[in-house]
Amino acid sequence: ILLQRVLRLCIMKKDPRFQPVDASVTPRFSGIATFMRTQRHEISPELDIALVGVPFDIGVNYRTGSRQGPAAVREASRLIRCVHPVSGIAPYELCNVADVGDAPVNPIDLARSISLIEEFFARLHADGGLPLSIGGDDTVPLPVLRGIARKQPVGIFHIDSHADTLDTLAGTTINHATTFRRGVEEGLIDPTRVIQIGLRGSRFSPDDIKWGQDHGFTCITIDDYERMGRDEVVARIRAVLGTGPTYMTIDIDGIDPAWAPGTGVPEIGGLTPRDVQVMIRALRGLHLVGGDICEVAPCFDPTGITAITAANLMWEMLCVLADSKATRC
């Protein structure tokens, strides 16, 4: 198997139909924005990794605005180049990567939107593509997982200030605070392979993270993170996730609002972008099946730094995802 993987890597050639716009030739400010200036393409069996926008934010109970997240991150991602500066991963040489546009949503009907998003990702999954998405609020991972993890539950690498394991919020069971509880209940998530990092902030009750802990989640609060140190946390991430299929999900509010103010529920005292970069890089070699970044609400950030941060973290996720996909083909 190892020999087959090596041979595949050796014979891979760039497919010109899936190469991003070259910023050294075409100025970054020119042309219509796509994620990381990749080509726009329909869902197709030819695609290895699909970059997707999910402009949905009617699952929140405080500040809306993350429906504009995909557009803002597309614009900010004009900055991204083609080769990772540390790992040397060149994702467009390993995989066919394209922007497949936005998943369909109904802007005033939550249930209909969830169904439409699930159908979109199920179709993508059926064609063999791995999704990498920008939301949208943190309800989004649930329909994505419904679309890709029905047959085999996945482990979860989760950066967030909130555990999102409430049973109900405002009398509803599908919203941005219940996502990972529903995922476990529906058999989409293996709770023994979930690690949540950066949890902090005031809580509704002492039980806000207890449900996940009782079901096997590894929950690392920001205080735990500081006490353990980044290297020990990285070791814990790899130990918890193991060799099974793993989905990456980042709520941008896991990062301190000094670095990412454009989000609906900012919580002070959080992770730095550097922390999250290093943790994503540590996922290299794991069996990755997709990822998302949610809760980017550009209306709360006139500087644009939140979208720039999300674009760079999306790039980090793309690199480890492409490496994982290429070594398993």
Side-chain angles (χ1 to χ4, degrees):
I1 294 175
L2 179 60
L3 179 59
Q4 290 174 339
R5 291 175 179 171
V6 172
L7 288 173
R8 174 178 165 79
L9 290 173
C10 289
I11 64 174
M12 277 184 177
K13 296 181 180 179
K14 294 181 183 180
D15 187 330
R17 297 172 302 164
F18 294 98
Q19 293 306 301
V21 175
D22 186 346
S24 69
V25 176
T26 304
R28 288 187 174 89
F29 51 78
S30 177
I32 297 172
T34 60
F35 287 121
M36 290 173 277
R37 306 194 83 189
T38 54
Q39 300 298 323
R40 180 71 172 83
H41 202 279
E42 298 302 313
I43 292 175
S44 163
E46 296 175 297
L47 270 181
D48 297 309
I49 298 174
L51 309 181
V52 188
V54 190
F56 169 94
D57 66 1
I58 53 178
V60 300
N61 71 325
Y62 184 36
R63 303 196 298 186
T64 57
S66 58
R67 66 181 61 185
Q68 272 85 46
V73 175
R74 281 189 173 97
E75 189 66 34
S77 70
R78 291 176 182 270
L79 289 165
I80 306 300
R81 300 172 185 87
C82 297
V83 180
H84 194 279
V86 177
S87 67
I89 294 172
Y92 311 115
E93 295 186 5
L94 297 176
C95 296
N96 290 339
V97 182
D99 186 330
V100 298
D102 288 348
V105 299
N106 184 312
I108 56 175
D109 188 331
L110 183 146
R112 179 58 179 153
S113 290
I114 296 298
S115 178
L116 288 169
I117 296 166
E118 177 185 346
E119 291 169 6
F120 182 91
F121 282 92
R123 183 159 57 94
L124 173 60
H125 181 66
D127 276 346
L130 302 183
L132 181 55
S133 310
I134 297 291
D137 71 50
D138 222 13
T139 316
V140 165
L142 180 61
V144 175
L145 291 173
R146 285 177 175 177
I148 72 172
R150 287 287 189 189
K151 294 183 179 179
Q152 184 177 10
V154 298
I156 299 288
F157 166 78
H158 183 199
I159 299 292
D160 205 330
S161 59
H162 313 103
D164 296 346
T165 53
L166 299 185
D167 187 26
T168 63
L169 181 67
T172 69
T173 58
I174 303 294
N175 55 66
H176 72 151
T178 64
T179 296
F180 299 100
R181 184 164 179 157
R182 297 288 92 84
V184 171
E185 292 172 345
E186 295 179 18
L188 308 172
I189 294 171
D190 176 356
T192 66
R193 297 184 53 247
V194 174
I195 186 162
Q196 299 183 311
I197 305 161
L199 304 177
R200 65 189 188 278
S202 55
R203 298 175 183 167
F204 291 108
S205 80
D207 295 332
D208 281 12
I209 71 170
K210 188 175 184 298
W211 187 92
Q213 292 171 322
D214 289 347
H215 285 75
F217 287 22
T218 298
C219 298
I220 298 177
T221 68
I222 193 66
D223 300 279
D224 296 330
Y225 186 88
E226 289 189 329
R227 184 176 61 255
M228 294 167 67
R230 194 165 63 201
D231 288 347
E232 184 177 339
V233 171
V234 164
R236 186 74 63 85
I237 290 168
R238 295 187 65 88
V240 170
L241 297 176
T243 59
T246 295
Y247 184 81
M248 306 171 284
T249 180
I250 296 174
D251 184 328
I252 204 69
D253 73 29
I255 294 173
D256 191 282
W259 304 98
T263 190
V265 191
E267 300 282 3
I268 67 167
L271 298 163
T272 70
R274 176 62 178 166
D275 292 324
V276 182
Q277 274 186 311
V278 172
M279 286 187 279
I280 296 171
R281 291 172 188 178
L283 302 177
R284 186 178 186 182
L286 302 188
H287 180 186
L288 304 175
V289 296
D292 65 65
I293 301 175
C294 290
E295 301 280 357
V296 174
C299 55
F300 302 117
D301 177 11
T303 72
I305 191 62
T306 308
I308 290 171
T309 298
N312 278 274
L313 295 180
M314 188 186 195
W315 163 251
E316 298 284 349
M317 295 166 83
L318 174 61
C319 287
V320 293
L321 189 60
D323 184 74
S324 179
K325 176 73 171 180
T327 57
R328 283 172 173 78
C329 291

